[in-house]
Amino acid sequence: MRKGLLFIISGPAGSGKGTVVNRLLSAHPELKLSISATTRQPRPGEVDGVHYYYISKDEFEERIASGKMLEYTTYSGNYYGTPEKEVRQALENGQDIILEIEVDGAMQIKERIEGAVAIMLTPPNSQVLEARLRGRGTETDEVIKWRLARAKEEVKLLPKYDYLVINEDNRSDECAQMVYSIILAEHQKSIHNRSIIEKFI
Ligand code: 5GP
């Protein structure tokens, strides 16, 4: 059976990746989103086991020590990581899997999973990014400044990504379609279709 492919979607806070990923998953329910573990507190409306697995710092460190994390990082003072078993099982079962993670984790995955495809989503420019971060109205000035600085650092890693998708204001649907086109194209790569040749010879 054909194995699944792994797609990383990352981009700075304010890139709109959450909305794009939601649109992608509702249009293509056959895609599976990997649920990360985190030590940060749930935000209002977030559900354990749906948005994240919310675990303690001790529990997270125990999982790192026992090799259960495919990748992990610290972001804004909290741990975030991808549970390895679920991802590997999905891929073995032929399921495509989406990881919505930041750049440090993305680079770890690129090293560990052969053929992982990294897609960076960005706002069109830093002015739009700042307007989006301020528009949320949920963060302090200090946090916004930290996120902006971090966003600039993240975008510098673009050359290490396979694809760039620019998320203009109010264009999440188009972005989700663009990401899906990338998924379709990756499946057509000859390297993933070697077994077809055997049917001809
Ligand atoms: P938030 O707290 O806003 O949900 O997420 C903060 C950042 O952590 C986002 O950039 C998000 O993509 C990233 N993130 C979420 N889960 C993971 C994960 O499992 N690993 C890594 N490396 N980053 C993650």
Side-chain angles (χ1 to χ4, degrees), residues 9-13 17 34-38 40 43 46 52 71-76 80-83 99-106 108 136 147 150 154:
I9 300 184
S10 42
K17 61 185 186 298
S34 161
I35 300 169
S36 299
T38 184
R40 89 147 157 75
R43 297 191 185 118
E46 288 186 344
Y52 284 102
E71 61 73 35
Y72 70 93
T73 196
T74 48
Y75 181 95
S76 200
Y80 291 82
T82 305
L99 264 57
E100 191 210 312
I101 61 175
E102 54 68 67
V103 289
D104 179 29
Q108 295 174 47
R136 283 181 182 174
R147 285 189 176 240
R150 164 115 192 177
E154 291 187 349

mmCIF file of all heavy atoms in Angstrom, residues 9-13 17 34-38 40 43 46 52 71-76 80-83 99-106 108 136 147 150 154, ligand 1:
data_model
loop_
_atom_site.group_PDB
_atom_site.id
_atom_site.type_symbol
_atom_site.label_atom_id
_atom_site.label_comp_id
_atom_site.label_asym_id
_atom_site.label_seq_id
_atom_site.Cartn_x
_atom_site.Cartn_y
_atom_site.Cartn_z
ATOM 1 N N ILE A 9 3.035 22.770 7.718
ATOM 2 C CA ILE A 9 2.612 24.134 7.387
ATOM 3 C C ILE A 9 3.079 25.016 8.528
ATOM 4 O O ILE A 9 2.676 24.830 9.672
ATOM 5 C CB ILE A 9 1.083 24.229 7.221
ATOM 6 C CG1 ILE A 9 0.666 23.284 6.081
ATOM 7 C CG2 ILE A 9 0.657 25.670 6.929
ATOM 8 C CD1 ILE A 9 -0.783 23.316 5.720
ATOM 9 N N SER A 10 3.992 25.924 8.226
ATOM 10 C CA SER A 10 4.361 26.857 9.280
ATOM 11 C C SER A 10 4.390 28.266 8.744
ATOM 12 O O SER A 10 4.357 28.502 7.537
ATOM 13 C CB SER A 10 5.650 26.495 10.007
ATOM 14 O OG SER A 10 6.651 26.065 9.177
ATOM 15 N N GLY A 11 4.427 29.164 9.677
ATOM 16 C CA GLY A 11 4.411 30.570 9.295
ATOM 17 C C GLY A 11 4.278 31.354 10.573
ATOM 18 O O GLY A 11 3.812 30.827 11.576
ATOM 19 N N PRO A 12 4.687 32.612 10.545
ATOM 20 C CA PRO A 12 4.650 33.400 11.773
ATOM 21 C C PRO A 12 3.233 33.618 12.283
ATOM 22 O O PRO A 12 2.275 33.499 11.523
ATOM 23 C CB PRO A 12 5.278 34.729 11.352
ATOM 24 C CG PRO A 12 5.204 34.766 9.874
ATOM 25 C CD PRO A 12 5.179 33.361 9.392
ATOM 26 N N ALA A 13 3.154 33.938 13.572
ATOM 27 C CA ALA A 13 1.873 34.362 14.138
ATOM 28 C C ALA A 13 1.362 35.492 13.257
ATOM 29 O O ALA A 13 2.141 36.361 12.860
ATOM 30 C CB ALA A 13 2.096 34.865 15.557
ATOM 31 N N LYS A 17 -2.315 30.966 9.410
ATOM 32 C CA LYS A 17 -2.202 29.538 9.085
ATOM 33 C C LYS A 17 -3.302 28.697 9.725
ATOM 34 O O LYS A 17 -3.738 27.716 9.138
ATOM 35 C CB LYS A 17 -0.811 28.987 9.405
ATOM 36 C CG LYS A 17 -0.388 29.067 10.842
ATOM 37 C CD LYS A 17 1.044 28.596 10.958
ATOM 38 C CE LYS A 17 1.528 28.499 12.389
ATOM 39 N NZ LYS A 17 1.536 29.754 13.146
ATOM 40 N N SER A 34 -2.119 16.411 12.691
ATOM 41 C CA SER A 34 -1.449 15.875 13.879
ATOM 42 C C SER A 34 -1.766 16.784 15.066
ATOM 43 O O SER A 34 -1.670 18.014 14.958
ATOM 44 C CB SER A 34 0.056 15.831 13.621
ATOM 45 O OG SER A 34 0.746 15.754 14.833
ATOM 46 N N ILE A 35 -2.153 16.185 16.181
ATOM 47 C CA ILE A 35 -2.444 16.987 17.378
ATOM 48 C C ILE A 35 -1.193 17.034 18.234
ATOM 49 O O ILE A 35 -0.661 15.996 18.637
ATOM 50 C CB ILE A 35 -3.638 16.406 18.155
ATOM 51 C CG1 ILE A 35 -4.863 16.409 17.231
ATOM 52 C CG2 ILE A 35 -3.923 17.224 19.412
ATOM 53 C CD1 ILE A 35 -6.039 15.643 17.763
ATOM 54 N N SER A 36 -0.722 18.247 18.489
ATOM 55 C CA SER A 36 0.508 18.440 19.245
ATOM 56 C C SER A 36 0.249 18.369 20.741
ATOM 57 O O SER A 36 -0.885 18.545 21.195
ATOM 58 C CB SER A 36 1.087 19.826 18.949
ATOM 59 O OG SER A 36 1.390 19.939 17.586
ATOM 60 N N ALA A 37 1.331 18.160 21.481
ATOM 61 C CA ALA A 37 1.264 18.301 22.939
ATOM 62 C C ALA A 37 1.836 19.671 23.291
ATOM 63 O O ALA A 37 2.745 20.158 22.606
ATOM 64 C CB ALA A 37 2.089 17.206 23.601
ATOM 65 N N THR A 38 1.301 20.293 24.325
ATOM 66 C CA THR A 38 1.851 21.579 24.773
ATOM 67 C C THR A 38 1.710 21.730 26.285
ATOM 68 O O THR A 38 0.830 21.120 26.891
ATOM 69 C CB THR A 38 1.168 22.777 24.078
ATOM 70 O OG1 THR A 38 1.825 23.988 24.491
ATOM 71 C CG2 THR A 38 -0.302 22.892 24.414
ATOM 72 N N ARG A 40 1.334 24.868 27.372
ATOM 73 C CA ARG A 40 0.622 26.129 27.608
ATOM 74 C C ARG A 40 -0.829 25.837 28.015
ATOM 75 O O ARG A 40 -1.359 24.774 27.738
ATOM 76 C CB ARG A 40 0.718 27.049 26.383
ATOM 77 C CG ARG A 40 -0.346 26.887 25.341
ATOM 78 C CD ARG A 40 -0.672 28.206 24.652
ATOM 79 N NE ARG A 40 -1.269 28.045 23.334
ATOM 80 C CZ ARG A 40 -2.536 27.673 23.132
ATOM 81 N NH1 ARG A 40 -3.311 27.329 24.139
ATOM 82 N NH2 ARG A 40 -2.993 27.597 21.896
ATOM 83 N N ARG A 43 -6.671 28.019 25.648
ATOM 84 C CA ARG A 43 -7.376 29.307 25.529
ATOM 85 C C ARG A 43 -8.880 29.019 25.584
ATOM 86 O O ARG A 43 -9.279 27.877 25.357
ATOM 87 C CB ARG A 43 -7.033 29.961 24.173
ATOM 88 C CG ARG A 43 -5.573 30.302 24.045
ATOM 89 C CD ARG A 43 -5.324 31.198 22.815
ATOM 90 N NE ARG A 43 -3.900 31.414 22.659
ATOM 91 C CZ ARG A 43 -3.192 31.032 21.594
ATOM 92 N NH1 ARG A 43 -3.771 30.442 20.571
ATOM 93 N NH2 ARG A 43 -1.894 31.263 21.531
ATOM 94 N N GLU A 46 -10.794 26.164 23.553
ATOM 95 C CA GLU A 46 -9.917 25.055 23.139
ATOM 96 C C GLU A 46 -10.218 23.804 23.973
ATOM 97 O O GLU A 46 -10.521 23.900 25.158
ATOM 98 C CB GLU A 46 -8.442 25.441 23.297
ATOM 99 C CG GLU A 46 -8.000 26.453 22.262
ATOM 100 C CD GLU A 46 -6.500 26.762 22.304
ATOM 101 O OE1 GLU A 46 -5.833 26.433 23.307
ATOM 102 O OE2 GLU A 46 -6.007 27.349 21.339
ATOM 103 N N TYR A 52 -5.056 20.609 21.193
ATOM 104 C CA TYR A 52 -3.748 20.140 21.694
ATOM 105 C C TYR A 52 -4.015 19.062 22.726
ATOM 106 O O TYR A 52 -5.144 18.933 23.230
ATOM 107 C CB TYR A 52 -2.999 21.269 22.427
ATOM 108 C CG TYR A 52 -2.358 22.323 21.549
ATOM 109 C CD1 TYR A 52 -2.954 23.572 21.375
ATOM 110 C CD2 TYR A 52 -1.137 22.094 20.924
ATOM 111 C CE1 TYR A 52 -2.360 24.560 20.579
ATOM 112 C CE2 TYR A 52 -0.529 23.072 20.142
ATOM 113 C CZ TYR A 52 -1.149 24.294 19.972
ATOM 114 O OH TYR A 52 -0.557 25.265 19.191
ATOM 115 N N GLU A 71 9.500 15.779 17.272
ATOM 116 C CA GLU A 71 10.223 17.059 17.357
ATOM 117 C C GLU A 71 9.596 17.812 18.502
ATOM 118 O O GLU A 71 8.469 17.530 18.888
ATOM 119 C CB GLU A 71 10.115 17.869 16.056
ATOM 120 C CG GLU A 71 8.712 18.271 15.623
ATOM 121 C CD GLU A 71 8.055 19.369 16.434
ATOM 122 O OE1 GLU A 71 8.763 20.286 16.883
ATOM 123 O OE2 GLU A 71 6.841 19.327 16.644
ATOM 124 N N TYR A 72 10.329 18.778 19.030
ATOM 125 C CA TYR A 72 9.722 19.671 20.026
ATOM 126 C C TYR A 72 10.522 20.957 20.081
ATOM 127 O O TYR A 72 11.657 21.017 19.599
ATOM 128 C CB TYR A 72 9.663 19.006 21.417
ATOM 129 C CG TYR A 72 11.016 18.854 22.061
ATOM 130 C CD1 TYR A 72 11.514 19.840 22.931
ATOM 131 C CD2 TYR A 72 11.812 17.756 21.784
ATOM 132 C CE1 TYR A 72 12.771 19.714 23.489
ATOM 133 C CE2 TYR A 72 13.070 17.620 22.345
ATOM 134 C CZ TYR A 72 13.535 18.608 23.207
ATOM 135 O OH TYR A 72 14.777 18.481 23.748
ATOM 136 N N THR A 73 9.889 21.969 20.649
ATOM 137 C CA THR A 73 10.581 23.247 20.805
ATOM 138 C C THR A 73 9.979 23.999 21.988
ATOM 139 O O THR A 73 8.960 23.570 22.536
ATOM 140 C CB THR A 73 10.453 24.098 19.512
ATOM 141 O OG1 THR A 73 11.418 25.138 19.537
ATOM 142 C CG2 THR A 73 9.074 24.713 19.365
ATOM 143 N N THR A 74 10.612 25.104 22.357
ATOM 144 C CA THR A 74 9.958 25.994 23.310
ATOM 145 C C THR A 74 9.585 27.264 22.553
ATOM 146 O O THR A 74 10.338 27.745 21.699
ATOM 147 C CB THR A 74 10.864 26.379 24.496
ATOM 148 O OG1 THR A 74 12.124 26.789 23.992
ATOM 149 C CG2 THR A 74 11.071 25.213 25.430
ATOM 150 N N TYR A 75 8.404 27.745 22.846
ATOM 151 C CA TYR A 75 7.884 28.931 22.168
ATOM 152 C C TYR A 75 7.133 29.739 23.208
ATOM 153 O O TYR A 75 6.252 29.195 23.888
ATOM 154 C CB TYR A 75 6.946 28.493 21.035
ATOM 155 C CG TYR A 75 6.351 29.614 20.217
ATOM 156 C CD1 TYR A 75 6.944 30.028 19.018
ATOM 157 C CD2 TYR A 75 5.193 30.257 20.631
ATOM 158 C CE1 TYR A 75 6.390 31.053 18.276
ATOM 159 C CE2 TYR A 75 4.637 31.286 19.890
ATOM 160 C CZ TYR A 75 5.236 31.674 18.710
ATOM 161 O OH TYR A 75 4.683 32.701 17.964
ATOM 162 N N SER A 76 7.529 31.005 23.361
ATOM 163 C CA SER A 76 6.873 31.892 24.313
ATOM 164 C C SER A 76 6.798 31.267 25.716
ATOM 165 O O SER A 76 5.792 31.350 26.408
ATOM 166 C CB SER A 76 5.458 32.204 23.797
ATOM 167 O OG SER A 76 4.967 33.352 24.401
ATOM 168 N N TYR A 80 6.185 22.793 23.035
ATOM 169 C CA TYR A 80 5.251 22.302 22.016
ATOM 170 C C TYR A 80 5.948 21.138 21.319
ATOM 171 O O TYR A 80 7.138 21.239 21.014
ATOM 172 C CB TYR A 80 4.980 23.363 20.939
ATOM 173 C CG TYR A 80 4.196 24.564 21.392
ATOM 174 C CD1 TYR A 80 4.826 25.614 22.057
ATOM 175 C CD2 TYR A 80 2.828 24.652 21.152
ATOM 176 C CE1 TYR A 80 4.102 26.728 22.466
ATOM 177 C CE2 TYR A 80 2.101 25.770 21.560
ATOM 178 C CZ TYR A 80 2.741 26.796 22.214
ATOM 179 O OH TYR A 80 2.027 27.899 22.614
ATOM 180 N N GLY A 81 5.215 20.067 21.040
ATOM 181 C CA GLY A 81 5.868 18.960 20.346
ATOM 182 C C GLY A 81 4.887 18.034 19.655
ATOM 183 O O GLY A 81 3.695 18.009 19.967
ATOM 184 N N THR A 82 5.432 17.272 18.705
ATOM 185 C CA THR A 82 4.628 16.344 17.894
ATOM 186 C C THR A 82 4.821 14.915 18.387
ATOM 187 O O THR A 82 5.946 14.411 18.372
ATOM 188 C CB THR A 82 5.094 16.420 16.417
ATOM 189 O OG1 THR A 82 5.018 17.776 15.979
ATOM 190 C CG2 THR A 82 4.261 15.528 15.525
ATOM 191 N N PRO A 83 3.742 14.245 18.808
ATOM 192 C CA PRO A 83 3.865 12.849 19.233
ATOM 193 C C PRO A 83 4.256 11.953 18.048
ATOM 194 O O PRO A 83 3.608 11.969 17.002
ATOM 195 C CB PRO A 83 2.462 12.492 19.732
ATOM 196 C CG PRO A 83 1.757 13.806 19.933
ATOM 197 C CD PRO A 83 2.383 14.765 18.981
ATOM 198 N N LEU A 99 1.104 18.862 9.673
ATOM 199 C CA LEU A 99 1.660 19.365 10.936
ATOM 200 C C LEU A 99 1.643 20.880 10.888
ATOM 201 O O LEU A 99 2.262 21.459 9.981
ATOM 202 C CB LEU A 99 3.114 18.913 11.094
ATOM 203 C CG LEU A 99 3.402 17.658 11.903
ATOM 204 C CD1 LEU A 99 2.659 16.469 11.356
ATOM 205 C CD2 LEU A 99 4.886 17.378 11.913
ATOM 206 N N GLU A 100 0.937 21.501 11.807
ATOM 207 C CA GLU A 100 0.946 22.971 11.859
ATOM 208 C C GLU A 100 1.885 23.351 12.990
ATOM 209 O O GLU A 100 1.509 23.379 14.159
ATOM 210 C CB GLU A 100 -0.481 23.481 12.118
ATOM 211 C CG GLU A 100 -0.592 24.967 11.928
ATOM 212 C CD GLU A 100 -1.653 25.585 12.801
ATOM 213 O OE1 GLU A 100 -2.774 25.079 12.864
ATOM 214 O OE2 GLU A 100 -1.312 26.598 13.447
ATOM 215 N N ILE A 101 3.134 23.614 12.647
ATOM 216 C CA ILE A 101 4.160 23.824 13.687
ATOM 217 C C ILE A 101 5.079 24.982 13.296
ATOM 218 O O ILE A 101 5.093 25.400 12.141
ATOM 219 C CB ILE A 101 5.000 22.537 13.916
ATOM 220 C CG1 ILE A 101 5.733 22.122 12.647
ATOM 221 C CG2 ILE A 101 4.119 21.401 14.412
ATOM 222 C CD1 ILE A 101 6.662 20.926 12.847
ATOM 223 N N GLU A 102 5.845 25.467 14.264
ATOM 224 C CA GLU A 102 6.727 26.591 13.969
ATOM 225 C C GLU A 102 8.043 26.093 13.317
ATOM 226 O O GLU A 102 8.253 24.886 13.143
ATOM 227 C CB GLU A 102 6.936 27.499 15.201
ATOM 228 C CG GLU A 102 7.414 26.827 16.435
ATOM 229 C CD GLU A 102 8.811 26.322 16.273
ATOM 230 O OE1 GLU A 102 9.743 27.147 16.155
ATOM 231 O OE2 GLU A 102 8.986 25.075 16.269
ATOM 232 N N VAL A 103 8.897 27.063 12.954
ATOM 233 C CA VAL A 103 10.041 26.747 12.086
ATOM 234 C C VAL A 103 11.088 25.802 12.697
ATOM 235 O O VAL A 103 11.642 24.959 11.979
ATOM 236 C CB VAL A 103 10.756 28.043 11.619
ATOM 237 C CG1 VAL A 103 9.901 28.796 10.623
ATOM 238 C CG2 VAL A 103 11.134 28.926 12.779
ATOM 239 N N ASP A 104 11.338 25.926 13.983
ATOM 240 C CA ASP A 104 12.358 25.088 14.603
ATOM 241 C C ASP A 104 11.948 23.610 14.473
ATOM 242 O O ASP A 104 12.734 22.756 14.037
ATOM 243 C CB ASP A 104 12.499 25.519 16.077
ATOM 244 C CG ASP A 104 13.517 24.702 16.826
ATOM 245 O OD1 ASP A 104 14.461 24.220 16.189
ATOM 246 O OD2 ASP A 104 13.369 24.544 18.060
ATOM 247 N N GLY A 105 10.676 23.345 14.820
ATOM 248 C CA GLY A 105 10.154 21.974 14.692
ATOM 249 C C GLY A 105 10.146 21.524 13.243
ATOM 250 O O GLY A 105 10.448 20.357 12.932
ATOM 251 N N ALA A 106 9.808 22.448 12.346
ATOM 252 C CA ALA A 106 9.748 22.105 10.916
ATOM 253 C C ALA A 106 11.109 21.591 10.428
ATOM 254 O O ALA A 106 11.198 20.589 9.716
ATOM 255 C CB ALA A 106 9.323 23.326 10.111
ATOM 256 N N GLN A 108 13.465 20.218 12.237
ATOM 257 C CA GLN A 108 13.744 18.892 12.835
ATOM 258 C C GLN A 108 13.037 17.794 12.038
ATOM 259 O O GLN A 108 13.599 16.735 11.777
ATOM 260 C CB GLN A 108 13.270 18.850 14.290
ATOM 261 C CG GLN A 108 14.009 19.795 15.222
ATOM 262 C CD GLN A 108 13.374 19.781 16.619
ATOM 263 O OE1 GLN A 108 13.099 18.741 17.194
ATOM 264 N NE2 GLN A 108 13.127 20.959 17.166
ATOM 265 N N ARG A 136 -6.038 41.670 16.541
ATOM 266 C CA ARG A 136 -6.597 40.645 17.421
ATOM 267 C C ARG A 136 -7.041 41.234 18.758
ATOM 268 O O ARG A 136 -7.955 40.736 19.383
ATOM 269 C CB ARG A 136 -5.526 39.594 17.747
ATOM 270 C CG ARG A 136 -5.259 38.613 16.638
ATOM 271 C CD ARG A 136 -4.203 37.641 17.139
ATOM 272 N NE ARG A 136 -3.837 36.679 16.129
ATOM 273 C CZ ARG A 136 -2.858 35.811 16.279
ATOM 274 N NH1 ARG A 136 -2.161 35.786 17.380
ATOM 275 N NH2 ARG A 136 -2.573 34.948 15.327
ATOM 276 N N ARG A 147 6.395 38.957 19.060
ATOM 277 C CA ARG A 147 5.900 38.136 17.947
ATOM 278 C C ARG A 147 6.372 38.676 16.593
ATOM 279 O O ARG A 147 6.702 37.914 15.697
ATOM 280 C CB ARG A 147 4.373 38.044 17.976
ATOM 281 C CG ARG A 147 3.887 37.120 19.070
ATOM 282 C CD ARG A 147 2.400 36.866 18.970
ATOM 283 N NE ARG A 147 1.983 35.898 19.969
ATOM 284 C CZ ARG A 147 1.415 34.725 19.697
ATOM 285 N NH1 ARG A 147 1.188 34.362 18.464
ATOM 286 N NH2 ARG A 147 1.075 33.909 20.661
ATOM 287 N N ARG A 150 10.028 37.852 16.210
ATOM 288 C CA ARG A 150 10.139 36.418 15.959
ATOM 289 C C ARG A 150 9.700 36.095 14.512
ATOM 290 O O ARG A 150 10.319 35.282 13.826
ATOM 291 C CB ARG A 150 9.277 35.667 16.974
ATOM 292 C CG ARG A 150 8.998 34.240 16.627
ATOM 293 C CD ARG A 150 9.606 33.278 17.588
ATOM 294 N NE ARG A 150 9.528 31.928 17.031
ATOM 295 C CZ ARG A 150 10.015 30.868 17.582
ATOM 296 N NH1 ARG A 150 10.657 30.951 18.700
ATOM 297 N NH2 ARG A 150 9.909 29.687 17.021
ATOM 298 N N GLU A 154 11.642 34.069 11.610
ATOM 299 C CA GLU A 154 11.077 32.854 11.005
ATOM 300 C C GLU A 154 11.096 32.951 9.477
ATOM 301 O O GLU A 154 11.453 31.997 8.792
ATOM 302 C CB GLU A 154 9.652 32.620 11.509
ATOM 303 C CG GLU A 154 9.614 32.228 12.979
ATOM 304 C CD GLU A 154 8.230 31.823 13.475
ATOM 305 O OE1 GLU A 154 7.235 32.030 12.771
ATOM 306 O OE2 GLU A 154 8.170 31.277 14.589
HETATM 307 P P1 5GP B 1 -0.212 28.694 19.813
HETATM 308 O O1 5GP B 1 0.173 28.797 21.243
HETATM 309 O O2 5GP B 1 -0.567 30.040 19.224
HETATM 310 O O3 5GP B 1 -1.301 27.651 19.585
HETATM 311 O O4 5GP B 1 1.052 28.161 19.002
HETATM 312 C C1 5GP B 1 2.276 28.843 19.070
HETATM 313 C C2 5GP B 1 3.199 28.320 17.983
HETATM 314 O O5 5GP B 1 3.550 26.960 18.240
HETATM 315 C C3 5GP B 1 2.579 28.338 16.585
HETATM 316 O O6 5GP B 1 3.553 28.862 15.686
HETATM 317 C C4 5GP B 1 2.300 26.881 16.291
HETATM 318 O O7 5GP B 1 2.367 26.594 14.898
HETATM 319 C C5 5GP B 1 3.455 26.226 17.031
HETATM 320 N N1 5GP B 1 3.221 24.813 17.339
HETATM 321 C C6 5GP B 1 2.055 24.193 17.636
HETATM 322 N N2 5GP B 1 2.252 22.891 17.849
HETATM 323 C C7 5GP B 1 3.579 22.654 17.672
HETATM 324 C C8 5GP B 1 4.409 21.484 17.732
HETATM 325 O O8 5GP B 1 3.967 20.369 17.980
HETATM 326 N N3 5GP B 1 5.722 21.659 17.489
HETATM 327 C C9 5GP B 1 6.260 22.863 17.186
HETATM 328 N N4 5GP B 1 7.560 22.902 16.928
HETATM 329 N N5 5GP B 1 5.514 23.978 17.116
HETATM 330 C C10 5GP B 1 4.195 23.886 17.353
#
